[in-house]
Amino acid sequence: MATKAPDIDTKAVKQQLDSDKRDIADMWNDALKSYRGILGVQLQPDFGSTQQMIDFATEQMNNFHRFRHNEKKVDKLRSLFAANLDYIQAGATQLVAAATPAFPPAAAIGTALTYMLKACKQVSADYDVVTAFFEDMNSFLQRITILETRLPKYPAYRNCLMDVFTSLLNMCGFATKYIERGRFKKWISNMISGEDSELGGARKKMDTSLDRLQAATEYAILGNTEELQKMNGELHENQMAQNRMLQEQTEMLASVLSSQDSVRSDLQNMTKLLQAFQENRKGGDSGAKATKGKIGAQSKPPTANRIVNYMPDTLNPAIEYRNIKDTFVADTGTWIFDEPAWTDWVARSDSERRKTLLTISGPAGMGKSHLAASAYDHLVHLAESNHETVTCVAQFYFRETEWDLQEFVNAMNWIVIQIAEQNMALCEKLNVEISREDLDIRVEDWESVWKHLVAPLFATENGPRLQIVFDGIDELEDTERMCFVKFLKMLGKKPDLHVSVLCTTMPNVSLAVDGVSQASILVEKDEILPDLRALVWHKLDNLDHLRRFSRYVKQEIATRLEEMADCLLYAELMLNRFNNNAREGAVLKALRGPLPADLEHLYLNMLSDCERQIPETQRQSIKTFLAWLAYSWAPLTLNECKTLMNLIIADKDINIEEELDGRLASFLCLNNSADEDADKRTKTQLIQKTEELEHMDNSLDSAYDDGKLQVKFKTRSMRGFFRNAQGKDEALRVPSSEAHRRISIACSHILQGNMSDRDEAQKGLLDYAGRNWASHLTWVSSANQVEAESIAFLESAVTVLIDQNGSASQFEVANSDYQDQAANWSENNLLNGLSRWASWASSLDQSKLDQKTSDWCQTAAEDKESAMVPLAKAHIKNWFNSRSAKSAIRSYKFARSATLLTGHKDVVHVDDSSDDDISESSDEDDEERGAWSAEEIQGIAKTFDVEMDSMAHFAVGLLLEHSEHYEEALLEIETGLSLRHNNADRSQVLVLRAEVLRQLERYEEARVSISEALAFSDLPKSLQAKALYTRGRIEDSLDLIEDSVRTYEESRLVDPSTALPGDILKEEIDLLERKDANDLISTLQAWTPLERLTSMTWLYDEDDGAVHETFRKAAIRAQKFDFLLEAYNEAIELLDPLDSAAPIQYQLALAYWLIQRDASASRETLNIVLDSKSYGFLYALTNEDPIYLLSQAINLMSDVLWEQFWSNGDALQKEQLLIDTKALLQRPLARALSTQRSDVVHHTVTIAKMTRKVGRSRDFQDELQKAFSICYDALDDNVGWNDADNLENLAEVLLTVGAITLEREARIAISARFSNLDPEIADDASTHDDGGSSESSESSEDSGSDEDSDESEKNQKGGKQPQPKRDDPTNGAVEPKSPTDQYDTIDDTIMCDGTCDPQVEFEPGWQTAPMYRCISCYDCNLCQSCHDVKQQLDREKAPKSMYHFCGPNHKYIKAPIEGWKGIKDGVMYIGDEETPFKEWLQDLKDTKWKQVWETFWTSED
């Protein structure tokens, strides 16, 4: 930091000033060069004024990850930035004329600071550290201005000042450099402490320059004692302030650095928490989607992201297009535009007969993909130049080596995205379609996407046109190619559809389809000759060695290649070989000799060259490696290749990275196309992202790690070349059967490896082996195999089949059971293949086989269904050895699927399980209840006579308990207890026994069992915690609330380093809620931040965030609102790095709104939600759907803005509030996602109410008409799932008009919200007929709940749970219902939103009526008592801090209407009236609605 200048030596200062002859302009130019040397960036004058710098810097600050939307922090940093610019401008006034006029010091340093802020934004720099730098600079610049104002305007003095500014510019360069390297905290720390030599030297130089300037200034004013004293006083004050700042910064940095271990610990816990949450999920995957943006897209419609995020996450085909363009030679690929077939296909005139399909076919290497890209570019140019017809051009590149580019449905989805990104009108039409609630668009079905989204856009006469370019049809699997053919047939049946298709393929693929007009272009050498010449000369002029060749040699090369090349790829590869040769003489010699006859022979020559470089000892390893790359079903990453070579092939002398740059460089390369798209897929792996945060210091380096890049053949034809081997003795190539034999053996080794401490590459290989081992095995044939090699293959397979080295456990880790694998087999391919091999082996001399292989072969040869019995037994043993429900379920799934492949398949009840589809899920099924029958579980356990010890009975009981077969589970447990245990095992069995007894409501026995379990000492912490919370559940069931609460807390404290499962924390919260609000808040305060976060997010999506209502009400009762805010902000801070804080921010906004009625704070928080980004992913931990969150945020914001609107007396402010409300659907989150229309009707109604006050009456009608039409369309369509919501919306719309005549219709609409309006419409919401009695309704619900409840729900059943006390069902004018009355209802309930305790629940039949629905708030329903409380509060003026469940002086509609009985077979029964619902709805639209508006326009009011 700054130090006091030494006493002035006037003689020395004078001598220095006199001898300083430097030119100030040269000094500044040198400073700019120095900056570039430090940072590698040339400063550019990007800003026209200081204000532009401030505005740009503010934008960067608002995007800092750590303090976005924090106005106080942004304001502080913006003020520092602006003040620094002012100081720089003031201090550099003497230098403007003398320095470089085009880029003076003030502007340059200001620009350097903006570069630094931009770097801060990009790497999410810490706010406090950034601020520390600017505070230091601010103090430094203040000192300059103190000196500069007293400095004479002489060259030597200006040079002193320039030294200071050049030092300052260098410091800005170092700051930006260290920010970009992710080392900014260390930089600031070293800058203050002076520890780092480079940084300390730069800082010291800046201080020295400033001391020299101070000395020169003092010398200049030496004779003016008063001025000197004044300056020294100002400098002293500056020094004191700087010392204080230094102390504060040192303390801040010490705090930041010392807290890093805690931060990393939190992040590690977050990783565990994410894993736990993902394992608990039964539904969607929070990492199931990723963003995809059209590369190079210009000014795409703002709502196109809704379409992008609506579609599944797949690789952007524009990546492949860009890869092709990177190798494109200018002015090539244009010859096809002169072909008659092209002219026929591209014809636009309606009078001409256009061809629907244009096929471009040719052998490998002819440049068909380049022709496809060229055609795409040309079509885009034609579309842009045609202003009469709207034409969209889409492209897709099929690739057999990329999962996402192998399926036709992905192509169709990307066509939709490209249409949306190219045309605003079509984009809006697509948005309308995806928001329709009567359409069932299945994005996983290409026909559904085509029918509902694509075809309707191009079916109108003289309407838009669509041209599609498909490349690589020949790379599609047969099933996918049939989809393409079916698509062509659909086009042929609709000749008026303005859709045309261009595709490239190999000549052997026939695409002739009856009814489809087709043109074709065959790519032959004569056609591509101009392109061949252009390619050759382009390479000759640009390859590093060839471009230095003489003109004569270049001409010889061009002539010879033109003669010999059979395709473009041949020429390119030959030119690369010549370039590698690098000597003109050698190249000429090669040209004079025989060249390869064609591409195939060229590949053979290249392979021969490669083989000569590989020692004999390494050839088989390389051969196996290349076979894997050529024949595997999935690509390998570089890290996986390394692991494959090191662990499987066991050749330590082969370094794959070196091979890719050396001997195998001619054939292999790293593919970064998927990685280039990965920067947009920011959410696909949330746990991985958390791990990156844990290792923040190395995260920048890890971004450039090649280990995750795929290793692939350089060209697709090369892969085909390696797959076309005819004999086993070929150089480095093997035929299909031999390749699969080698891969199968490798997979067998992987499946018998060590399970511990696997890295990502090992996990990837294990996953591949577990999923594909059997598939590769079925492709191996004994024909043409050497006997010894066949035996080696068979013995490796048998070691897996008999579980010799734990392969069954490895299959389970890979988590793809045999039913999942069987999806790739047909008609028992596996068993038939194993049977053939067993028969083959039986014919051999058995001494050639090891004993275990011989025994297995003899058994399998006699009965093929015995082949899988050893594996089935192994999985059953794993199941019997399980100590947790998760591992027991996983092993059981494999045992079950293996049993289906044996002669004991009848024991498996395939019709009794949940669709028998357990193979397609992973741990998501672990919490699924009632998955398997007791008979099946016990049958599989006994089928193969696997010995059962005490813990085996425990494992069976564990699975029976999981499937809710409690009586059977108890019998197994009791059997196990009768056998011998060690203490830990016996305790674990007793804990399970206690839980089963609790479920059977045998609470005292359960209490005895759990007490016995806890009596053992030295139990593992996890078991001790489980035993304790099991005891807590039992005590809860016995109504021992105090004891239960203490036990849950004791359980939580057993291992403070490990958070309890979310369901246990939620159970404790439920207990405390029933006990006392103060105790609940006190307990939450005692929890760790991670435990509070867990309780806030566990099953958030399933209970709609119900726990947050508990927190809010408890905070009110305990008067702890400040703590609640603190807890929310703490959770937001933890979730923010995962971009998943929005659901909790919404809950924070609700807290502000419902507890304090703080519209400003709630609005500010909702702004953060609505300004956030989304790519369609479910939010981490909460698993909340961002679309649902968006609609909730819009509707809550509508309420907040409405309250600000009606309470504001300023007309201009009201108009602005109307503008803000209208703009909600244009906020970033709303632009990224598509909501369904009925979800935001409340928002439309709010706009209408505001418009009635400050807008045009016609606009008021238009908005309400829009809302009415949405409701009417939804109620009149052929789906019923959204009827209840739209009946509520309709009631709000009708009452907003303000006509008394519509009040009855609104009450009818609300009364019908529990009714099934049309029983003929199949719908999930319509599940039962209500018999008119609450008992029957409740029994029906109870019977269903046992089947569908999750873990936490099940754990809360069986005890003496407090039953809600319902209001008197006769309260209000409701006619009693006859038990024999039958009305059609839906399975739905509504909870009172007031403060009643217990909470009143409104059900079908309106037994707890009446209900009062607010006509101002979004979705606020009150029971009679809460309505009375609300009326009292309105009369007495409610205090600010309370539970504001509804706004002041709001109006309500009462339901049900007097005389309401229900709806049966579509007929409404109200008193003695019987009216078909559809007739009532039609009359409302055609008569009553119109009459109201006629009255509205003719009324004098």
Side-chain angles (χ1 to χ4, degrees), residues 294-321:
K294 184 175 184 290
I295 294 178
Q298 300 293 328
S299 63
K300 65 181 181 182
T303 56
N305 280 340
R306 295 177 182 171
I307 307 300
V308 174
N309 295 327
Y310 180 80
M311 293 299 177
D313 163 42
T314 55
L315 186 67
N316 192 337
I319 295 288
E320 189 67 20
Y321 165 78

Side-chain angles (χ1 to χ4, degrees), residues 292-432:
K292 31 197 170 321
K294 184 175 184 290
I295 294 178
Q298 300 293 328
S299 63
K300 65 181 181 182
T303 56
N305 280 340
R306 295 177 182 171
I307 307 300
V308 174
N309 295 327
Y310 180 80
M311 293 299 177
D313 163 42
T314 55
L315 186 67
N316 192 337
I319 295 288
E320 189 67 20
Y321 165 78
R322 185 170 65 185
N323 290 339
I324 294 171
K325 294 292 288 184
D326 285 344
T327 61
F328 207 82
V329 178
D331 300 323
T332 60
T334 60
W335 60 268
I336 59 170
F337 308 139
D338 297 326
E339 293 288 311
W342 172 272
T343 305
D344 291 344
W345 177 77
V346 83
R348 296 176 178 273
S349 174
D350 291 336
S351 61
E352 297 183 59
R353 177 59 177 167
R354 294 191 307 114
K355 303 295 184 182
T356 300
L357 174 65
L358 174 62
T359 303
I360 301 177
S361 61
M366 299 297 284
K368 297 186 295 297
S369 294
H370 285 81
L371 290 175
S374 178
Y376 173 78
D377 291 341
H378 188 67
L379 292 172
V380 169
H381 172 72
L382 292 176
E384 292 174 347
S385 60
N386 182 7
H387 302 293
E388 297 179 359
T389 305
V390 173
T391 302
C392 291
V393 185
Q395 61 179 338
F396 197 84
Y397 299 84
F398 295 107
R399 297 292 181 263
E400 64 179 349
T401 56
E402 286 285 356
W403 288 116
D404 290 345
L405 304 182
Q406 294 176 6
E407 297 183 338
F408 188 68
V409 63
N410 293 338
M412 190 60 68
N413 289 338
W414 272 104
I415 288 170
V416 175
I417 291 171
Q418 291 173 72
I419 292 170
E421 291 180 336
Q422 290 177 23
N423 185 272
M424 182 172 291
L426 297 180
C427 179
E428 293 308 312
K429 288 183 178 181
L430 287 170
N431 273 298
V432 169

Side-chain angles (χ1 to χ4, degrees), residues 1104 1284-1285 1288 1313-1315 1325 1327-1328 1330 1334 1337-1338 1340-1342 1364 1366 1385-1393 1399-1408 1411 1413 1419 1421:
D1104 203 17
D1285 290 340
E1288 294 172 347
R1313 62 98 51 230
F1314 288 121
S1315 298
T1327 58
H1328 68 279
D1330 185 358
S1334 61
S1337 176
E1338 290 172 1
S1340 175
E1341 290 176 3
D1342 289 343
R1366 305 291 171 79
T1385 62
I1386 61 174
D1387 186 9
D1388 192 18
T1389 58
I1390 301 176
M1391 305 302 295
C1392 175
D1393 294 301
Q1399 204 171 4
V1400 173
E1401 186 175 353
F1402 304 103
E1403 299 174 320
W1406 292 106
Q1407 297 304 302
T1408 52
M1411 180 185 82
R1413 183 173 180 84
D1419 203 22
N1421 304 290

Side-chain angles (χ1 to χ4, degrees), residues 101 133 650 775 817 1044 1245 1341 1411 1467 1489:
F133 175 82
S775 180
D817 66 25
S1044 181
V1245 172
E1341 290 176 3
M1411 180 185 82
V1467 178
W1489 183 251

Side-chain angles (χ1 to χ4, degrees), residues 884-896:
S884 68
K886 176 182 175 181
S887 61
I889 292 166
R890 185 173 65 186
S891 296
Y892 179 78
K893 291 197 300 181
F894 277 83
R896 186 176 187 273

Side-chain angles (χ1 to χ4, degrees), residues 1392-1427:
C1392 175
D1393 294 301
T1395 55
C1396 51
D1397 187 17
Q1399 204 171 4
V1400 173
E1401 186 175 353
F1402 304 103
E1403 299 174 320
W1406 292 106
Q1407 297 304 302
T1408 52
M1411 180 185 82
Y1412 294 86
R1413 183 173 180 84
C1414 179
I1415 64 173
S1416 296
C1417 295
Y1418 172 67
D1419 203 22
C1420 176
N1421 304 290
L1422 303 178
C1423 64
Q1424 182 68 61
S1425 60
C1426 289
H1427 178 263

